[in-house]
Every structure is written in structure tokens, then in C-alpha cells.
Short mmCIF file of all heavy atoms in Angstrom, two decimals:
data_model
loop_
_atom_site.label_atom_id
_atom_site.label_comp_id
_atom_site.label_asym_id
_atom_site.label_seq_id
_atom_site.Cartn_x
_atom_site.Cartn_y
_atom_site.Cartn_z
N GLY A 46 58.31 46.19 -61.76
CA GLY A 46 59.37 47.18 -61.69
C GLY A 46 60.75 46.56 -61.66
O GLY A 46 61.67 47.00 -62.36
N VAL A 47 60.93 45.52 -60.85
CA VAL A 47 62.22 44.84 -60.78
C VAL A 47 62.56 44.21 -62.12
O VAL A 47 63.69 44.32 -62.62
CB VAL A 47 62.21 43.77 -59.66
CG1 VAL A 47 63.46 42.88 -59.75
CG2 VAL A 47 62.15 44.43 -58.29
N GLY A 48 61.58 43.53 -62.72
CA GLY A 48 61.83 42.88 -64.01
C GLY A 48 62.23 43.87 -65.09
O GLY A 48 63.25 43.70 -65.76
N LEU A 49 61.44 44.92 -65.25
CA LEU A 49 61.75 45.93 -66.27
C LEU A 49 63.05 46.67 -65.94
O LEU A 49 63.84 46.99 -66.84
CB LEU A 49 60.60 46.92 -66.40
CG LEU A 49 59.39 46.46 -67.20
CD1 LEU A 49 58.29 47.50 -67.14
CD2 LEU A 49 59.76 46.17 -68.65
N GLY A 50 63.26 46.95 -64.66
CA GLY A 50 64.47 47.65 -64.25
C GLY A 50 65.72 46.88 -64.64
O GLY A 50 66.70 47.45 -65.13
N ILE A 51 65.70 45.57 -64.43
CA ILE A 51 66.85 44.73 -64.80
C ILE A 51 67.04 44.72 -66.30
O ILE A 51 68.16 44.84 -66.81
CB ILE A 51 66.66 43.30 -64.26
CG1 ILE A 51 66.74 43.30 -62.73
CG2 ILE A 51 67.72 42.36 -64.83
CD1 ILE A 51 66.41 41.96 -62.09
N VAL A 52 65.95 44.57 -67.03
CA VAL A 52 66.03 44.55 -68.50
C VAL A 52 66.63 45.86 -69.02
O VAL A 52 67.54 45.86 -69.85
CB VAL A 52 64.64 44.31 -69.13
CG1 VAL A 52 64.69 44.52 -70.64
CG2 VAL A 52 64.15 42.91 -68.81
N PHE A 53 66.13 46.99 -68.52
CA PHE A 53 66.63 48.30 -68.95
C PHE A 53 68.08 48.50 -68.55
O PHE A 53 68.88 49.04 -69.32
CB PHE A 53 65.78 49.43 -68.35
CG PHE A 53 64.36 49.46 -68.86
CD1 PHE A 53 63.37 50.12 -68.13
CD2 PHE A 53 64.00 48.85 -70.04
CE1 PHE A 53 62.07 50.17 -68.58
CE2 PHE A 53 62.70 48.89 -70.51
CZ PHE A 53 61.74 49.55 -69.78
N ARG A 54 68.43 48.09 -67.34
CA ARG A 54 69.78 48.33 -66.82
C ARG A 54 70.85 47.61 -67.65
O ARG A 54 71.99 48.08 -67.76
CB ARG A 54 69.87 47.90 -65.36
CG ARG A 54 71.19 48.29 -64.68
CD ARG A 54 71.15 48.01 -63.20
NE ARG A 54 72.40 48.35 -62.55
CZ ARG A 54 72.72 49.54 -62.08
NH1 ARG A 54 71.87 50.52 -62.17
NH2 ARG A 54 73.89 49.75 -61.51
N TYR A 55 70.46 46.48 -68.25
CA TYR A 55 71.45 45.72 -69.01
C TYR A 55 71.24 45.84 -70.52
O TYR A 55 71.59 44.94 -71.28
CB TYR A 55 71.45 44.26 -68.55
CG TYR A 55 72.06 44.15 -67.16
CD1 TYR A 55 71.27 44.19 -66.03
CD2 TYR A 55 73.44 44.09 -67.00
CE1 TYR A 55 71.83 44.15 -64.75
CE2 TYR A 55 74.01 44.05 -65.74
CZ TYR A 55 73.20 44.08 -64.62
OH TYR A 55 73.76 44.04 -63.37
N GLY A 56 70.68 46.98 -70.93
CA GLY A 56 70.69 47.34 -72.35
C GLY A 56 69.53 46.88 -73.18
O GLY A 56 69.52 47.10 -74.39
N GLY A 57 68.54 46.24 -72.57
CA GLY A 57 67.43 45.74 -73.36
C GLY A 57 66.15 46.54 -73.16
O GLY A 57 66.11 47.52 -72.41
N THR A 58 65.13 46.15 -73.87
CA THR A 58 63.78 46.65 -73.64
C THR A 58 62.85 45.46 -73.85
O THR A 58 63.29 44.39 -74.25
CB THR A 58 63.37 47.78 -74.62
OG1 THR A 58 63.11 47.21 -75.91
CG2 THR A 58 64.46 48.83 -74.74
N THR A 59 61.58 45.66 -73.58
CA THR A 59 60.62 44.60 -73.88
C THR A 59 59.75 45.00 -75.07
O THR A 59 58.63 44.53 -75.24
CB THR A 59 59.73 44.31 -72.66
OG1 THR A 59 59.11 45.53 -72.23
CG2 THR A 59 60.54 43.73 -71.51
N GLY A 60 60.31 45.88 -75.92
CA GLY A 60 59.61 46.31 -77.13
C GLY A 60 58.50 47.29 -76.83
O GLY A 60 58.57 48.07 -75.89
N GLY A 61 57.48 47.25 -77.66
CA GLY A 61 56.28 48.03 -77.40
C GLY A 61 56.47 49.52 -77.35
O GLY A 61 57.03 50.13 -78.28
N VAL A 62 56.04 50.12 -76.26
CA VAL A 62 56.01 51.57 -76.14
C VAL A 62 57.41 52.18 -76.15
O VAL A 62 57.57 53.34 -76.51
CB VAL A 62 55.24 51.97 -74.85
CG1 VAL A 62 56.04 51.62 -73.62
CG2 VAL A 62 54.90 53.44 -74.87
N ASP A 63 58.44 51.40 -75.79
CA ASP A 63 59.81 51.91 -75.84
C ASP A 63 60.18 52.30 -77.28
O ASP A 63 60.80 53.34 -77.52
CB ASP A 63 60.80 50.87 -75.33
CG ASP A 63 60.41 50.35 -73.95
OD1 ASP A 63 60.15 51.20 -73.08
OD2 ASP A 63 60.35 49.14 -73.75
N ILE A 64 59.80 51.46 -78.22
CA ILE A 64 60.08 51.74 -79.63
C ILE A 64 59.24 52.91 -80.12
O ILE A 64 59.72 53.80 -80.82
CB ILE A 64 59.82 50.49 -80.49
CG1 ILE A 64 60.76 49.34 -80.05
CG2 ILE A 64 60.03 50.80 -81.97
CD1 ILE A 64 60.51 48.04 -80.76
N ILE A 65 57.97 52.92 -79.74
CA ILE A 65 57.08 54.01 -80.14
C ILE A 65 57.60 55.35 -79.60
O ILE A 65 57.57 56.38 -80.28
CB ILE A 65 55.64 53.75 -79.64
CG1 ILE A 65 55.05 52.56 -80.39
CG2 ILE A 65 54.77 54.98 -79.82
CD1 ILE A 65 53.67 52.17 -79.90
N ALA A 66 58.10 55.34 -78.36
CA ALA A 66 58.62 56.57 -77.77
C ALA A 66 59.83 57.09 -78.55
O ALA A 66 59.97 58.30 -78.74
CB ALA A 66 59.01 56.30 -76.31
N LYS A 67 60.69 56.19 -79.00
CA LYS A 67 61.86 56.62 -79.77
C LYS A 67 61.44 57.14 -81.15
O LYS A 67 62.04 58.07 -81.67
CB LYS A 67 62.85 55.46 -79.90
CG LYS A 67 63.50 55.12 -78.56
CD LYS A 67 64.61 54.10 -78.69
CE LYS A 67 65.26 53.86 -77.34
NZ LYS A 67 66.39 52.92 -77.40
N LEU A 68 60.40 56.55 -81.72
CA LEU A 68 59.88 57.05 -82.99
C LEU A 68 59.27 58.44 -82.82
O LEU A 68 59.46 59.34 -83.65
CB LEU A 68 58.82 56.08 -83.54
CG LEU A 68 59.33 54.74 -84.08
CD1 LEU A 68 58.16 53.81 -84.37
CD2 LEU A 68 60.14 54.96 -85.36
N GLY A 69 58.53 58.62 -81.70
CA GLY A 69 57.94 59.93 -81.43
C GLY A 69 58.99 61.00 -81.22
O GLY A 69 58.82 62.15 -81.65
N PHE A 70 60.09 60.62 -80.58
CA PHE A 70 61.18 61.58 -80.36
C PHE A 70 61.84 61.96 -81.68
O PHE A 70 62.14 63.14 -81.93
CB PHE A 70 62.21 60.98 -79.41
CG PHE A 70 63.43 61.84 -79.21
CD1 PHE A 70 63.37 62.97 -78.41
CD2 PHE A 70 64.62 61.55 -79.84
CE1 PHE A 70 64.49 63.78 -78.21
CE2 PHE A 70 65.74 62.35 -79.66
CZ PHE A 70 65.68 63.46 -78.85
N LYS A 71 62.04 60.97 -82.56
CA LYS A 71 62.76 61.23 -83.81
C LYS A 71 61.92 62.04 -84.79
O LYS A 71 62.42 62.96 -85.43
CB LYS A 71 63.18 59.91 -84.44
CG LYS A 71 63.96 60.09 -85.74
CD LYS A 71 64.48 58.77 -86.29
CE LYS A 71 65.28 59.00 -87.57
NZ LYS A 71 65.82 57.72 -88.11
N TYR A 72 60.64 61.70 -84.93
CA TYR A 72 59.83 62.30 -85.98
C TYR A 72 58.90 63.42 -85.51
O TYR A 72 58.47 64.24 -86.31
CB TYR A 72 58.99 61.21 -86.67
CG TYR A 72 59.84 60.20 -87.42
CD1 TYR A 72 59.99 58.91 -86.92
CD2 TYR A 72 60.50 60.55 -88.58
CE1 TYR A 72 60.77 57.98 -87.59
CE2 TYR A 72 61.29 59.62 -89.26
CZ TYR A 72 61.43 58.35 -88.76
OH TYR A 72 62.22 57.44 -89.42
N LEU A 73 58.56 63.44 -84.21
CA LEU A 73 57.65 64.46 -83.71
C LEU A 73 58.32 65.42 -82.73
O LEU A 73 57.74 66.44 -82.36
CB LEU A 73 56.43 63.81 -83.02
CG LEU A 73 55.58 62.89 -83.91
CD1 LEU A 73 54.48 62.24 -83.09
CD2 LEU A 73 54.99 63.68 -85.08
N GLY A 74 59.52 65.05 -82.29
CA GLY A 74 60.23 65.89 -81.33
C GLY A 74 59.69 65.78 -79.92
O GLY A 74 60.03 66.58 -79.06
N TRP A 75 58.84 64.77 -79.65
CA TRP A 75 58.31 64.58 -78.32
C TRP A 75 59.36 63.90 -77.44
O TRP A 75 60.11 63.05 -77.90
CB TRP A 75 57.07 63.70 -78.35
CG TRP A 75 55.89 64.33 -79.02
CD1 TRP A 75 55.82 65.56 -79.58
CD2 TRP A 75 54.60 63.73 -79.20
NE1 TRP A 75 54.57 65.79 -80.10
CE2 TRP A 75 53.79 64.68 -79.89
CE3 TRP A 75 54.03 62.52 -78.86
CZ2 TRP A 75 52.48 64.44 -80.22
CZ3 TRP A 75 52.71 62.27 -79.18
CH2 TRP A 75 51.94 63.22 -79.86
N SER A 76 59.38 64.27 -76.17
CA SER A 76 60.27 63.57 -75.25
C SER A 76 59.75 62.14 -75.07
O SER A 76 58.54 61.87 -75.20
CB SER A 76 60.30 64.27 -73.89
OG SER A 76 59.07 64.12 -73.22
N MET A 77 60.67 61.22 -74.77
CA MET A 77 60.26 59.83 -74.60
C MET A 77 59.32 59.69 -73.41
O MET A 77 58.38 58.91 -73.44
CB MET A 77 61.50 58.94 -74.42
CG MET A 77 62.34 58.82 -75.68
SD MET A 77 63.71 57.66 -75.52
CE MET A 77 62.83 56.13 -75.26
N GLY A 78 59.58 60.47 -72.35
CA GLY A 78 58.71 60.41 -71.18
C GLY A 78 57.29 60.83 -71.50
O GLY A 78 56.32 60.22 -71.05
N LYS A 79 57.16 61.88 -72.32
CA LYS A 79 55.84 62.37 -72.70
C LYS A 79 55.09 61.32 -73.51
O LYS A 79 53.90 61.06 -73.27
CB LYS A 79 55.98 63.66 -73.51
CG LYS A 79 54.66 64.22 -74.03
CD LYS A 79 54.88 65.48 -74.85
CE LYS A 79 53.57 66.01 -75.41
NZ LYS A 79 53.77 67.25 -76.22
N THR A 80 55.77 60.72 -74.49
CA THR A 80 55.13 59.71 -75.34
C THR A 80 54.69 58.52 -74.51
O THR A 80 53.57 58.01 -74.67
CB THR A 80 56.10 59.25 -76.43
OG1 THR A 80 56.53 60.39 -77.19
CG2 THR A 80 55.42 58.25 -77.37
N MET A 81 55.57 58.05 -73.62
CA MET A 81 55.24 56.89 -72.80
C MET A 81 54.08 57.19 -71.85
O MET A 81 53.21 56.35 -71.63
CB MET A 81 56.48 56.43 -72.02
CG MET A 81 57.60 55.92 -72.93
SD MET A 81 59.11 55.47 -72.06
CE MET A 81 58.61 53.91 -71.34
N PHE A 82 54.06 58.41 -71.31
CA PHE A 82 52.97 58.78 -70.40
C PHE A 82 51.64 58.80 -71.14
O PHE A 82 50.63 58.27 -70.65
CB PHE A 82 53.25 60.16 -69.79
CG PHE A 82 52.12 60.68 -68.94
CD1 PHE A 82 51.95 60.22 -67.64
CD2 PHE A 82 51.23 61.62 -69.45
CE1 PHE A 82 50.90 60.69 -66.86
CE2 PHE A 82 50.18 62.08 -68.67
CZ PHE A 82 50.01 61.61 -67.37
N ILE A 83 51.61 59.41 -72.33
CA ILE A 83 50.37 59.50 -73.11
C ILE A 83 49.88 58.10 -73.48
O ILE A 83 48.70 57.78 -73.34
CB ILE A 83 50.59 60.35 -74.39
CG1 ILE A 83 50.83 61.81 -74.00
CG2 ILE A 83 49.39 60.23 -75.32
CD1 ILE A 83 51.20 62.70 -75.18
N PHE A 84 50.81 57.26 -73.94
CA PHE A 84 50.43 55.90 -74.35
C PHE A 84 49.91 55.11 -73.16
O PHE A 84 48.87 54.44 -73.25
CB PHE A 84 51.64 55.19 -74.97
CG PHE A 84 51.29 53.94 -75.72
CD1 PHE A 84 50.99 53.98 -77.07
CD2 PHE A 84 51.25 52.71 -75.07
CE1 PHE A 84 50.65 52.82 -77.76
CE2 PHE A 84 50.92 51.56 -75.73
CZ PHE A 84 50.62 51.60 -77.10
N ASP A 85 50.62 55.19 -72.03
CA ASP A 85 50.18 54.46 -70.84
C ASP A 85 48.81 54.95 -70.37
O ASP A 85 47.96 54.15 -69.95
CB ASP A 85 51.20 54.64 -69.71
CG ASP A 85 52.46 53.82 -69.93
OD1 ASP A 85 52.46 52.97 -70.85
OD2 ASP A 85 53.43 54.01 -69.19
N ALA A 86 48.60 56.27 -70.42
CA ALA A 86 47.31 56.83 -69.99
C ALA A 86 46.17 56.30 -70.86
O ALA A 86 45.10 55.96 -70.35
CB ALA A 86 47.36 58.35 -70.04
N ILE A 87 46.42 56.24 -72.17
CA ILE A 87 45.38 55.73 -73.09
C ILE A 87 45.07 54.27 -72.80
O ILE A 87 43.90 53.85 -72.76
CB ILE A 87 45.83 55.91 -74.55
CG1 ILE A 87 45.90 57.39 -74.91
CG2 ILE A 87 44.89 55.18 -75.50
CD1 ILE A 87 46.49 57.68 -76.28
N VAL A 88 46.12 53.47 -72.58
CA VAL A 88 45.93 52.04 -72.34
C VAL A 88 45.20 51.81 -71.02
O VAL A 88 44.25 51.01 -70.95
CB VAL A 88 47.29 51.30 -72.33
CG1 VAL A 88 47.12 49.86 -71.88
CG2 VAL A 88 47.91 51.34 -73.71
N ILE A 89 45.61 52.51 -69.96
CA ILE A 89 44.97 52.33 -68.66
C ILE A 89 43.52 52.80 -68.71
O ILE A 89 42.61 52.17 -68.14
CB ILE A 89 45.75 53.06 -67.57
CG1 ILE A 89 47.13 52.40 -67.37
CG2 ILE A 89 44.98 53.06 -66.25
CD1 ILE A 89 48.02 53.12 -66.38
N ALA A 90 43.26 53.90 -69.43
CA ALA A 90 41.88 54.38 -69.58
C ALA A 90 41.04 53.35 -70.33
O ALA A 90 39.88 53.10 -69.98
CB ALA A 90 41.87 55.71 -70.32
#
């Protein structure tokens, strides 16, 4: 949490689901939170 929080706070991301979430928002109209939740749920499952 601290690591990702610092990265996000200073304008970066660590790639991955952040990019997918922005693609989902642009082309599917899904909120970024929804996309990230679905992706995380699939990975954890």
C-alpha cells in the first residue's frame, strides 16, 4: 500500500491493471474502480 500509494501520488503507475482500467473506461464506459475490482477478483480467485 505504501509503495503503490507513493507511486500514484507522484504521477506514476506500475502498469498492468491501471492501463486496462483506462481502456475499459474509454471503450466500454466502465468505471476504473469497477474494472480494477473485476480484474483483481479474477486474479485472486
Side-chain angles (χ1 to χ4, degrees):
V47 169
L49 281 175
I51 292 174
V52 171
F53 294 160
R54 188 172 179 87
Y55 289 93
T58 74
T59 55
V62 70
D63 307 310
I64 298 176
I65 292 176
K67 291 187 177 182
L68 288 170
F70 175 76
K71 181 175 182 179
Y72 295 108
L73 300 176
W75 292 0
S76 70
M77 292 185 63
K79 177 181 178 180
T80 303
M81 295 176 76
F82 175 79
I83 292 174
F84 194 90
D85 286 350
I87 293 173
V88 172
I89 293 175

